[in-house]
Amino acid sequence: MNILKTFDIQDVVLKHTLPVRLFHWCLVLGFLPAGITGIVLFLRPFSSEGMHLAMQIHILGAGLLTLACICFFIFQPGRVVSFWREIFSWTKNDIDWMKVSGGYPQKILFGKEIPVPPMRKINSGQKLMGIFVFFAGIVVILTGCILYVALPLVPKEIAWYTDKIHLIVGMCLLVAVCGGHIPLGIYNWKEFICMFGDGTIKIKDIVKHNPLWIEQDIEKIK
Amino acid sequence: MKYNYVEKAVQITRREFIGLAGVAAAALWTGAYAVTDLVEDRNKYIKMRMAGLYKDDEKQAVRQSHNNKSLMQMYGKLAGKPMSPLAEELFHTQYVNRMIS
Amino acid sequence: MQKSYQNHELHNIIQIDPKVCKGCDSCKSFCPADAIEGSYGATHSINDERCLQCGQCLVNCPFGSIQDTVDVVDDVIEKLQDGKSTVVAMVAPAVRVALGEAFGMEPGTLVTQKMYGALKKAGFKIMDVNFAADNTIMEEGTELVEKIQTYILNQPNEHNLGPLPQFTSCCPAWVRYVELYHPNLREHLSSAKSPQGMAGPVVKIYGAQEIWNVAPEDIYCVGIYPCTAKKFEASRPEFTAAADYWKKRGHSANYQDTDVVLTTRDLARLLKKLSIDIQTVEPADENDNPLAEYTGAGTIFGATGGVMEAALRTAYFVTTGQELSTLDYEPVRGLQQVKTANVPLRLKNNGPEIVLKVAVVHGTKNVEPLLKEVEQGISPYHFIEVMNCPGGCVNGGGQPINPMGTSWVGKFKAIFPWS
């Protein structure tokens, strides 16, 4: 590849800084328990003790999620802005990427590798996911706050709709994360290790995923 | 050093920052306003029902219980006067100790 | 055997449906008796022994999971159509400002004439409980005045009077609260029955003899109240004053003063079953019905402060010989949880001036500090009105459930179900 000509085979880039990785850990430890106990609270399969425990875990997970989001927004506004800009920058490359689903079905189902339009740090599918998670996350946190703190205070009609919205948006988030984000993360194992490990990844491993980012957005440390 | 490349720093212009802060503040304030409005109105239906009764009160030609002619007639024919022996029998009661130990 | 109920009393009236309950803990915020069990997230249930049957949990549950399990609508329809019973509807003040809500009207719309028309069309005879409310004022007001004469003016009296301060006794949930949790204070409750308690004897004695000319045992009294606790109250075994009266005069039948109670919601259901619509029914005025004659004082019984205001209008007249110059007694009106007022009374015939100290409480939890004062003998009040439901009976557990609000009358604060 052309790009590799300017880089060494040993070159390593820091793709995710420590605050970002910590935030991601909080999302994992906050959202996943909250989402799973959310389903439990919806289906109500357990006895009183079980349901109470599920609720306790739900609140703890939700609390961690909320706190992490607030802290990240306050202490890492640069990352928030960068994320926002990326998820809302769409070009013809992105449309074309979506048309071939990034080449994933072809690779996974048929073992065929097809050419894919070049991406920056976030690919088009991740951009869609990012938009969804950003707004759905805010909705689920706000409705959750009302349900936890102010249920006897808000008009019953509002309480009823808040509950329904919390349920539906929460379920959609859970499906998107568990059915899309997590499997694809595991499939791209080196990216998985990068986010859960020390944030570094060899440039030769992301040449196919993020060529434009490598070309334009990274620099050598002095 | 484990890595030798990093992402270039994110540039946010002052204008962009103020714009962002402004939009965030406006959204939060609108939301808070809407919610507190709804919460403050949570007793409105009670106040409306109470107002209906006070309106009924104002409409009446007679507004004191001791001037209810029909009631006075009933007393005349039945119990005599309030707290008479028959009134005690029909209109007064005693209460029960229900304390659960 | 239930410990906190007498024989034959209705109980377990309010129940949580375990299939719908989400364990959100909302109902616990509204229960004045801490009668709801179940931890946060787990299905909740009502402890019948502690429950006042007030229905506040029912009207405030955002998911409609709480039910009133006493359903006599079909029994009433049967009686209405059997051709031999005289079915008398005893309608409470608060019904007429909320019944319209079940038919699409705004809360507070006064539908008195349409209500009468609908009841008549269904086959009811009518007794307006506002008449009984006036009756209650006469009895309770006289009792209060006699206590003032005895305890404040040191005059002799012939009646066996309870001590001051006097608490109102028209709210059956409040009465049950005293009997359950402060039975040592029950002498402070006015000995006067509630309007429901008085209405039954009035209908089955005075109504039977003077108004409708029917045998008392053929009268079927249907109370129509904004209140689920009235179902409990009507079943109190001592509420048989009419039957006891007639047994002394040669009759032998046994019956309760009020046979059954319908809530406002039940009445709406009954009317809909009979295809009667409040919006379109022919109104009736009942101007020739002596038992439907009431005063403004009687009708405000349904609002918090209303009983107090009605009592003051009469107590003022009886003690001073003059009517209150402004009949709207503002200090006892409104949604503040505890309202107090000092009412100066210049006694008639050049008597001394005394200051009657009164308090009005709604939401039974709010009465605890006042009860402590009474227990310690330091209560500054002479007369205290207590209504269990926030706002008074207009917001009772039997009213149409209005989704546009809740009963939370207290300060705006975060309520953590589990910390």
Side-chain angles (χ1 to χ4, degrees):
Chain A
M1 301 213 74
N2 291 345
I3 297 170
L4 272 182
K5 292 229 171 81
T6 59
F7 291 96
D8 204 69
I9 201 148
Q10 317 269 42
D11 280 339
V12 174
V13 64
L14 179 66
K15 192 170 184 189
H16 303 296
T17 60
L18 182 63
V20 167
R21 298 198 310 271
L22 279 176
F23 181 50
H24 190 259
W25 269 109
C26 287
L27 290 176
V28 170
L29 294 173
F31 177 74
L32 285 182
I36 295 171
T37 49
I39 299 293
V40 169
L41 289 167
F42 175 57
L43 296 175
R44 308 195 67 77
F46 298 136
S47 67
S48 314
E49 291 83 22
M51 294 310 298
H52 181 52
L53 184 64
M55 187 59 107
Q56 288 172 310
I57 296 174
H58 190 81
I59 300 295
L60 284 174
L64 178 60
L65 177 70
T66 308
L67 201 60
C69 288
I70 294 175
C71 289
F72 194 71
F73 270 63
I74 295 176
F75 295 115
Q76 292 282 306
R79 296 312 319 162
V80 178
V81 167
S82 167
F83 184 73
W84 182 269
R85 283 181 184 152
E86 284 279 338
I87 60 181
F88 284 116
S89 68
W90 285 72
T91 64
K92 187 169 182 309
N93 273 344
D94 292 294
I95 311 292
D96 292 335
W97 192 100
M98 293 303 299
K99 282 193 194 156
V100 294
S101 301
Y104 279 101
Q106 297 84 334
K107 184 120 185 271
I108 297 174
L109 298 175
F110 308 119
K112 238 175 56 151
E113 236 186 85
I114 59 166
V116 161
M119 290 284 111
R120 309 189 82 89
K121 190 177 187 186
I122 303 180
N123 69 44
S124 320
Q126 288 173 321
K127 287 178 190 174
L128 272 184
M129 179 74 177
I131 297 174
F132 174 62
V133 167
F134 189 88
F135 292 106
I138 292 178
V139 166
V140 108
I141 288 174
L142 288 178
T143 51
C145 283
I146 295 178
L147 289 168
Y148 186 56
V149 158
L151 208 49
L153 264 56
V154 295
K156 292 188 285 290
E157 199 163 35
I158 305 292
W160 195 85
Y161 280 114
T162 304
D163 178 74
K164 286 279 167 298
I165 293 172
H166 188 80
L167 174 69
I168 293 173
V169 175
M171 283 210 288
C172 290
L173 270 173
L174 198 61
V175 166
V177 166
C178 294
H181 181 74
I182 293 178
L184 285 170
I186 296 176
Y187 182 73
N188 293 300
W189 186 246
K190 294 212 169 76
E191 299 272 10
F192 190 96
I193 299 290
C194 172
M195 176 58 95
F196 280 100
D198 63 6
T200 63
I201 192 165
K202 293 207 177 99
I203 289 186
K204 68 173 172 66
D205 290 329
I206 53 170
V207 142
K208 286 194 188 141
H209 286 163
N210 312 109
L212 296 178
W213 184 64
I214 298 173
E215 265 179 25
Q216 299 164 18
D217 294 330
I218 64 175
E219 58 190 8
K220 203 162 191 173
I221 303 177
K222 303 288 186 295
Chain B
M1 188 70 101
K2 285 227 283 248
Y3 51 92
N4 49 357
Y5 279 88
V6 289
E7 189 170 317
K8 293 183 192 160
V10 178
Q11 309 276 26
I12 313 176
T13 67
R14 216 167 293 232
R15 221 171 269 189
E16 272 176 322
F17 185 78
I18 294 174
L20 191 74
V23 166
L28 281 169
W29 195 79
T30 316
Y33 188 77
V35 173
T36 46
D37 236 18
L38 280 169
V39 170
E40 269 173 24
D41 278 347
R42 68 193 178 282
N43 297 140
K44 187 152 166 234
Y45 75 101
I46 304 178
K47 293 183 186 159
M48 289 165 86
R49 291 178 185 167
M50 288 168 77
L53 284 183
Y54 285 116
K55 219 169 56 178
D56 195 24
D57 173 26
E58 281 170 26
K59 273 171 38 177
Q60 300 305 315
V62 182
R63 299 178 65 197
Q64 303 95 323
S65 302
H66 50 272
N67 291 333
N68 184 332
K69 289 210 174 52
S70 175
L71 181 66
M72 294 308 129
Q73 256 188 331
M74 182 192 82
Y75 269 107
K77 293 202 177 145
L78 187 59
K81 60 179 187 154
M83 294 187 80
S84 69
L86 186 55
E88 290 273 359
E89 239 187 79
L90 301 179
F91 303 138
H92 290 255
T93 185
Q94 286 180 321
Y95 303 102
V96 167
N97 182 341
R98 298 175 189 263
M99 186 162 251
I100 335 166
S101 39
Chain C
M1 182 55 212
Q2 305 299 114
K3 290 173 283 201
S4 69
Y5 293 91
Q6 303 179 89
N7 271 334
H8 304 303
E9 276 180 350
L10 284 179
H11 60 99
N12 238 324
I13 300 173
I14 311 291
Q15 288 180 24
I16 299 179
D17 185 347
K19 293 198 294 291
V20 183
C21 173
K22 295 165 173 277
C24 76
D25 259 15
S26 221
C27 51
K28 288 189 183 177
S29 301
F30 297 102
C31 179
D34 290 325
I36 301 184
E37 295 170 348
S39 32
Y40 187 40
T43 304
H44 288 15
S45 64
I46 293 176
N47 179 341
D48 191 39
E49 292 298 333
R50 293 187 64 91
C51 175
L52 308 178
Q53 316 292 344
C54 75
Q56 275 303 305
C57 56
L58 191 159
V59 290
N60 284 298
C61 172
F63 309 106
S65 71
I66 310 186
Q67 305 299 330
D68 169 2
T69 60
V70 173
D71 183 359
V72 294
V73 168
D74 290 331
D75 299 318
V76 174
I77 293 181
E78 214 183 285
K79 284 275 186 205
L80 283 169
Q81 299 175 338
D82 73 359
K84 53 184 171 88
S85 315
T86 303
V87 186
V88 180
M90 303 167 359
V91 236
V95 178
R96 71 206 62 207
V97 290
L99 182 59
E101 285 171 52
F103 296 88
M105 299 167 129
E106 288 263 291
T109 317
L110 204 48
V111 295
T112 316
Q113 274 71 36
K114 285 189 177 282
M115 183 176 70
Y116 289 160
L119 289 166
K120 283 179 97 152
K121 191 162 179 213
F124 288 99
K125 296 256 185 305
I126 294 174
M127 191 259 189
D128 200 321
V129 169
N130 289 359
F131 175 96
D134 287 329
N135 197 359
T136 305
I137 291 300
M138 295 312 297
E139 294 296 331
E140 190 163 350
T142 306
E143 183 190 8
L144 179 66
V145 168
E146 294 211 353
K147 285 183 190 175
I148 293 174
Q149 285 165 345
T150 309
Y151 300 124
I152 304 182
L153 303 171
N154 295 312
Q155 293 168 7
N157 88 94
E158 60 215 40
H159 290 117
N160 235 337
L161 295 170
L164 286 177
Q166 175 172 310
F167 284 95
T168 54
S169 57
C170 23
C171 171
W174 155 240
V175 166
R176 182 167 155 76
Y177 182 84
V178 172
E179 291 175 326
L180 254 177
Y181 302 111
H182 296 275
N184 53 326
L185 294 181
R186 61 194 198 278
E187 285 188 321
H188 287 271
L189 282 169
S190 163
S191 61
K193 291 178 183 173
S194 68
Q196 162 163 263
M198 299 191 188
V202 166
V203 165
K204 292 188 175 181
I205 303 173
Y206 185 65
Q209 271 187 314
E210 304 282 340
I211 316 282
W212 297 303
N213 244 311
V214 233
E217 28 300 291
D218 291 337
I219 297 184
Y220 187 70
C221 274
V222 179
I224 303 179
Y225 288 92
C227 173
T228 44
K230 287 287 178 194
K231 296 188 175 182
F232 156 75
E233 189 192 41
S235 70
R236 291 181 75 121
E238 66 270 20
F239 278 13
T240 52
D244 296 337
Y245 173 91
W246 286 116
K247 280 196 212 154
K248 292 191 200 150
R249 288 155 179 82
H251 296 238
S252 56
N254 279 320
Y255 42 85
Q256 295 290 116
D257 291 331
T258 301
D259 294 284
V260 289
V261 171
L262 297 173
T263 59
T264 313
R265 292 190 298 267
D266 292 337
L267 177 64
R269 242 182 333 120
L270 183 148
L271 293 176
K272 287 179 182 172
K273 274 194 174 183
L274 300 176
S275 305
I276 300 174
D277 185 344
I278 288 287
Q279 297 252 25
T280 58
V281 75
E282 188 74 33
D285 60 35
E286 292 295 287
N287 284 336
D288 295 328
N289 181 349
L291 290 182
E293 188 173 314
Y294 63 88
T295 72
T299 199
I300 58 178
F301 259 56
T304 171
V307 176
M308 179 60 71
E309 191 171 333
L312 287 177
R313 290 180 193 176
T314 291
Y316 191 88
F317 176 72
V318 169
T319 49
T320 69
Q322 310 208 309
E323 302 280 7
L324 267 170
S325 49
T326 342
L327 290 174
D328 297 345
Y329 204 76
E330 294 290 344
V332 299
R333 294 190 180 192
L335 287 183
Q336 204 183 322
Q337 287 162 305
V338 180
K339 293 163 281 190
T340 61
N342 292 335
V343 189
L345 300 172
R346 152 103 21 227
L347 299 172
K348 59 185 170 193
N349 301 326
N350 284 318
E353 178 171 290
I354 59 171
V355 177
L356 191 66
K357 292 182 198 268
V358 301
V360 173
V361 183
H362 60 122
T364 307
K365 277 209 168 113
N366 298 316
V367 85
E368 278 295 331
L370 283 84
L371 290 178
K372 273 209 178 30
E373 286 179 335
V374 175
E375 270 167 359
Q376 291 164 7
I378 57 173
S379 174
Y381 304 109
H382 302 114
F383 190 33
I384 304 173
E385 174 204 291
V386 182
M387 292 194 187
N388 175 82
C389 297
C393 317
V394 285
N395 187 32
Q399 293 284 58
I401 300 176
N402 196 313
M404 74 194 251
T406 69
S407 294
W408 187 266
V409 163
K411 278 205 287 275
F412 182 26
K413 64 171 196 192
I415 303 157
F416 293 100
W418 169 72
S419 11

